[in-house]
Amino acid sequence: MVFIPEATIDQLIQDDVPYFDLTTQGLGIGDRPGRISFQSRDRLVLSGTQTGARMLQRAGATVTEMFPNAKEVESGVTFLAAEGKAATLHLAWKAVQNVLEYACGVATKTAQLVRLARETNPQAMLYTTRKHIPGTKPLAVQAILAGGAYPHRLGLSETILVFEQHLNFLGGIEGLISQLPQLQRQVKEKKIIVEVKEISAALELATAGVDGIQFDKVPAQTLAEAIATLKSINPNLVTLAAGGIHADNIQAYAAIALDGLVLTAPYFAPPADIKVQIEPIVPLPSNNPDVKFA
């Protein structure tokens, strides 16, 4: 479970409702009891359901049904529902729908990519980059986990990943290699991964003793020919492919004996198509209903 603070829940609602719902207020229907339900129009991998439920509760509704993240549902399944006053339900409606459509879209796309990769290689591991849509990080990370992938790197503070942009300040690969013993002493508990675009650079770094190589936009066929040589230099070398991996080529990369595939594609999946119904009910629901978790 990804921790999402209460302030984020409030902000997700406030983005759509800075003050009050003018339409519901003007129509005078705010006090009427009702029920809201969210239903899949296509086969989905769910994500954002707990967040959506918390948003509904924060708005004042009582959640009566909620399926967990990572559950796969068929078209037509109601996976989140709540009861409350019409004013409450309309206030939360679009904000919750937006969260669910984005999060379920990412989770479903992630699951599709994982499935494709594992059709070729059952041991394939997918990791996602930090290039999520700005402002969506907690929801995006939660969604890729629901889809069966893991974050490659959540922030600059947790791993050492040396890019060309760093090497430019070191005098290139040779400069990094000269600093490698000192860097290894400073961060004994961390792996040192270096991104390269050329196989020759990877061979040089593997010989020097780095812990891993991340290949950026290197064609799958080129990698297939090089991995065995790199593993003969260091059998424990971590090898990753990144850059431009998507549904059309993921199986070619999965077929190689890589330790992981690093993708951005899941974050930009089409949003899921989710149907929302809000209907009046009588009487007003109890304050302590039996919430069903499927």
Side-chain angles (χ1 to χ4, degrees):
M1 183 182 76
V2 175
F3 173 69
I4 297 181
E6 199 68 21
T8 300
I9 300 297
D10 286 351
Q11 188 61 55
L12 287 168
I13 299 171
Q14 191 173 28
D15 283 345
D16 197 42
V17 192
Y19 299 104
F20 67 103
D21 176 359
L22 181 58
T23 305
T24 305
Q25 176 77 17
L27 293 172
I29 60 173
D31 287 335
R32 293 186 62 186
R35 180 177 188 271
I36 188 169
S37 62
F38 298 83
Q39 186 179 92
S40 57
R41 281 197 170 103
D42 301 297
R43 187 179 182 88
L44 295 178
V45 175
L46 297 177
S47 185
T49 55
Q50 285 98 332
T51 302
R54 288 176 62 195
M55 293 168 69
L56 287 162
Q57 290 168 334
R58 183 68 173 132
T62 299
V63 175
T64 57
E65 188 167 9
M66 184 190 76
F67 286 16
N69 289 341
K71 184 176 179 66
E72 194 163 1
V73 297
E74 300 291 341
S75 173
V77 173
T78 296
F79 58 86
L80 178 63
E83 296 178 355
K85 292 184 177 181
T88 290
L89 303 181
H90 284 86
L91 183 145
W93 167 19
K94 280 297 179 183
V96 174
Q97 185 179 16
N98 286 344
V99 165
L100 291 172
E101 290 194 340
Y102 171 70
C104 290
V106 172
T108 302
K109 180 66 172 181
T110 302
Q112 291 170 346
L113 291 166
V114 169
R115 190 177 298 117
L116 278 172
R118 290 181 179 169
E119 285 175 1
T120 300
N121 175 6
Q123 303 302 315
M125 288 299 301
L126 271 61
Y127 302 99
T128 53
T129 70
R130 294 177 7 253
K131 294 192 286 185
H132 49 77
I133 296 172
T136 66
K137 189 170 187 175
L139 292 172
V141 171
Q142 189 174 71
I144 63 100
L145 288 169
Y150 276 82
H152 173 40
R153 194 183 193 209
L154 286 169
L156 294 178
S157 304
E158 67 178 30
T159 66
I160 295 176
L161 180 52
V162 181
F163 290 96
E164 178 183 359
Q165 289 82 350
H166 299 105
L167 295 175
N168 290 340
F169 290 88
L170 296 172
I173 287 175
E174 294 304 325
L176 172 63
I177 290 173
S178 70
Q179 281 194 216
L180 194 57
Q182 176 185 345
L183 183 59
Q184 288 170 328
R185 285 194 301 272
Q186 290 173 327
V187 291
K188 293 183 186 296
E189 81 286 5
K190 302 289 186 183
K191 291 185 183 297
I192 299 170
I193 311 293
V194 185
E195 183 175 272
V196 301
K197 294 179 171 64
E198 304 293 338
I199 300 300
S200 58
L203 293 169
E204 192 174 357
L205 288 163
T207 302
V210 299
D211 299 295
I213 304 291
Q214 177 168 296
F215 295 94
D216 179 39
K217 296 183 175 66
V218 176
Q221 183 58 40
T222 302
L223 283 181
E225 297 167 357
I227 294 300
T229 302
L230 288 166
K231 291 289 189 177
S232 70
I233 296 171
N234 177 6
N236 297 317
L237 186 73
V238 175
T239 56
L240 305 166
I245 301 176
H246 47 73
D248 293 339
N249 62 13
I250 195 168
Q251 291 189 318
Y253 282 97
I256 306 168
L258 292 158
D259 294 297
L261 309 180
V262 183
L263 293 80
T264 297
Y267 295 140
F268 298 92
D273 189 359
I274 292 172
K275 178 180 179 180
V276 182
Q277 289 183 296
I278 305 178
E279 300 171 313
I281 59 170
V282 178
L284 197 66
S286 160
N287 290 329
N288 297 296
D290 182 18
V291 179
K292 297 181 288 182
F293 293 88

mmCIF file of all heavy atoms in Angstrom, residues 74 105 168-169:
data_model
loop_
_atom_site.group_PDB
_atom_site.id
_atom_site.type_symbol
_atom_site.label_atom_id
_atom_site.label_comp_id
_atom_site.label_asym_id
_atom_site.label_seq_id
_atom_site.Cartn_x
_atom_site.Cartn_y
_atom_site.Cartn_z
ATOM 1 N N GLU A 74 -14.278 -7.669 -14.699
ATOM 2 C CA GLU A 74 -14.855 -7.674 -16.035
ATOM 3 C C GLU A 74 -15.713 -6.425 -16.245
ATOM 4 O O GLU A 74 -16.033 -5.707 -15.303
ATOM 5 C CB GLU A 74 -15.707 -8.932 -16.220
ATOM 6 C CG GLU A 74 -14.957 -10.245 -16.062
ATOM 7 C CD GLU A 74 -13.966 -10.486 -17.180
ATOM 8 O OE1 GLU A 74 -14.101 -9.848 -18.245
ATOM 9 O OE2 GLU A 74 -13.035 -11.294 -16.992
ATOM 10 N N GLY A 105 -6.358 3.075 -15.470
ATOM 11 C CA GLY A 105 -5.727 3.049 -16.789
ATOM 12 C C GLY A 105 -4.268 2.639 -16.700
ATOM 13 O O GLY A 105 -3.790 1.798 -17.474
ATOM 14 N N ASN A 168 29.755 13.901 -17.694
ATOM 15 C CA ASN A 168 30.279 15.120 -18.307
ATOM 16 C C ASN A 168 31.103 15.949 -17.332
ATOM 17 O O ASN A 168 31.965 16.731 -17.738
ATOM 18 C CB ASN A 168 29.120 15.974 -18.839
ATOM 19 C CG ASN A 168 28.445 15.357 -20.053
ATOM 20 O OD1 ASN A 168 29.030 14.511 -20.731
ATOM 21 N ND2 ASN A 168 27.220 15.761 -20.331
ATOM 22 N N PHE A 169 30.839 15.790 -16.036
ATOM 23 C CA PHE A 169 31.576 16.534 -15.008
ATOM 24 C C PHE A 169 32.768 15.742 -14.469
ATOM 25 O O PHE A 169 33.518 16.248 -13.635
ATOM 26 C CB PHE A 169 30.640 16.897 -13.851
ATOM 27 C CG PHE A 169 29.622 17.943 -14.204
ATOM 28 C CD1 PHE A 169 28.405 17.585 -14.757
ATOM 29 C CD2 PHE A 169 29.878 19.290 -13.999
ATOM 30 C CE1 PHE A 169 27.458 18.531 -15.092
ATOM 31 C CE2 PHE A 169 28.940 20.260 -14.331
ATOM 32 C CZ PHE A 169 27.729 19.886 -14.886
#
